[in-house]
């Protein structure tokens, strides 16, 4: 196996591009893919200040490292979710990464800032853990992005993540969600710009990138992810990809090219507060009466969650895991 670029011994194959790379050229390939994505979807320009949401896993470290290498002014943001040992360990990985590279890091811990954690919020609101978690993270991301006047909030979603979400949404024709599956959501109506620069890289590639860059990441998955439908969608797509390399990329990028514009970015249902994906065509947004975030209802969903979860008796992770 020879590197496509230098013809030296290759370390990794990227079957969907029919290419093999040595370590240096694989790292270069990953950075080029991100650079191409940033331009293609109008995500960021040189000099932009980017707030990178980091979890301790391979994807968020890879995107942070790549954006740094491309010369962006980055700041990490870690949200302590209070998911038992998993959160304690992931927080330590993030701190070590930031300190080791001398990168600025903002930490917001849900328990010490809002007096709740994800397992407790899930129990008291009867939301599945990932729904309570996603709502909390989105609120903190938006708030910190506005507060720090960053140009965009960056998340480490990769090609496998996006293809799996798309697969699930298509399987059930969740047209409300299909419209928001863009790798770049512009800043609108008081919401910051949101970007996913890793959508051209697979999960295997972000893991290999971290290994080759000597990045120590948390391999363990969040214990709340078990039973998450996306895992089975990923497994299904992996089978197809194995038989026909390039299928995931064709599926996701074909959707972005030919179909995403046919779906609305927002819902008109006032009971579903989807203001985080608001556009010019959205229902009128006004400040949440409690936190001031833009919303299409009186009190935003985060503040409604907060009312019920904040100060509630903490619920252990194990109890929630058994339930879902
Ligand atoms: S952290 Fe949160 Fe994920 Fe854990 S509870 Fe679900 S959403 S799985 S990215
Ligand atoms: Zn090479
Ligand atoms: Zn609010």
């Amino acid at each position: 196996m020879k590197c496509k670029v230098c013809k030296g011994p290759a370390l990794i194959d990227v079957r969907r591009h029919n290419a093999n790379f040595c370590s240096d050229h694989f790292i270069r390939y990953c950075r080029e893919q991100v650079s191409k994505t940033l331009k293609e979807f109008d995500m960021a320009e040189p000099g932009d200040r980017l707030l990178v949401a980091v979890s301790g896993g391979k994807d968020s470290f890879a995107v942070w490292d790549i954006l740094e290498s491309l010369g962006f002014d980055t700041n990490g943001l870690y949200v302590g979710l209070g998911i038992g040992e998993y959160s304690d360990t992931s927080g330590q990985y993030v701190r070590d990464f930031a300190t080791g590279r001398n990168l600025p890091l903002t930490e917001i811990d849900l328990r010490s800032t809002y007096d709740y954690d994800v397992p407790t919020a899930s129990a008291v609101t009867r939301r599945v853990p990932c729904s309570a978690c996603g709502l909390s993270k989105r609120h903190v991301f938006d708030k910190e992005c506005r507060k720090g006047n960053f140009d965009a909030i960056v998340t480490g979603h990769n090609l496998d993540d996006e293809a799996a979400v798309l697969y699930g949404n298509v399987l059930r024709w969740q047209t409300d969600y299909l419209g928001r599956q863009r790798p770049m959501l512009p800043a609108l109506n008081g919401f910051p710009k949101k970007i996913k620069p890793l959508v051209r890289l697979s999960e295997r590639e972000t893991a290999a990138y971290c290994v080759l860059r000597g990045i120590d990441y948390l391999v363990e998955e969040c214990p709340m992810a078990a039973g998450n439908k996306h895992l089975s969608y990923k497994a299904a797509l992996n089978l197809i990809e194995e038989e026909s390399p390039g299928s995931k990329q064709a599926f996701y990028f074909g959707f972005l090219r030919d179909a995403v514009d046919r779906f609305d970015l927002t819902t008109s249902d006032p009971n579903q507060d989807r203001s985080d994906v608001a556009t010019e065509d959205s229902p009128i947004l006004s400040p949440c009466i409690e936190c001031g975030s833009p919303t299409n209802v009186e009190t935003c969903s985060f503040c409604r969650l907060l009312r019920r979860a904040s100060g509630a008796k903490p619920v252990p992770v194990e109890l929630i895991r058994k339930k879902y």
Side-chain angles (χ1 to χ4, degrees), residues 5 48-49 58 61 85 118 123 210-211 238 244 247-248 252 299:
V5 186
D48 276 1
R49 293 180 60 245
K58 61 188 185 327
F61 282 161
E85 240 184 81
V118 165
C210 286
V211 171
N238 283 343
S244 170
S247 297
K248 280 182 209 172
Y252 179 63
T299 305

Side-chain angles (χ1 to χ4, degrees), residues 266-280:
T266 51
T267 173
S268 48
D269 178 357
N271 294 319
Q272 272 195 57
D273 183 6
R274 298 275 304 287
S275 41
D276 60 311
V277 290
T279 67
E280 294 107 329

Side-chain angles (χ1 to χ4, degrees), residues 44 47 50 66 90 95 111 181 243 246 252 257 282 289 319:
L50 304 174
I66 294 174
S90 59
R95 271 166 235 129
R111 176 57 68 195
Q181 257 220 282
E243 287 295 315
Y252 179 63
R257 188 186 58 235
S282 312
I289 56 165
L319 215 76

Side-chain angles (χ1 to χ4, degrees), residues 121-139:
S122 167
V124 301
T125 61
R126 294 171 197 264
R127 281 173 175 262
V128 289
C130 293
S131 158
C133 180
L135 177 58
S136 309
K137 286 194 288 196
R138 279 200 300 277
H139 179 84

Side-chain angles (χ1 to χ4, degrees), residues 304-324:
R304 292 199 304 262
L305 174 140
L306 197 59
R307 269 188 203 162
R308 298 171 71 182
S310 184
K313 189 168 171 259
V315 174
V317 181
E318 294 68 36
L319 215 76
I320 302 296
R321 279 187 75 179
K322 274 190 203 133
K323 208 169 145 203
Y324 291 99

Side-chain angles (χ1 to χ4, degrees), residues 3 5-8 21-22 25:
C3 170
V5 186
C6 69
K7 312 295 176 217
F21 295 103
C22 69
H25 289 119

Side-chain angles (χ1 to χ4, degrees), residues 228-265:
N228 192 320
K229 285 201 196 77
H230 287 141
L231 296 180
S232 55
Y233 298 151
K234 275 189 180 176
L237 288 172
N238 283 343
L239 281 178
I240 300 170
E241 184 76 16
E242 188 57 37
E243 287 295 315
S244 170
S247 297
K248 280 182 209 172
Q249 182 152 337
F251 178 50
Y252 179 63
F253 281 89
F255 166 74
L256 293 181
R257 188 186 58 235
D258 297 328
V260 72
D261 290 338
R262 297 168 194 231
F263 301 98
D264 241 4
L265 249 177

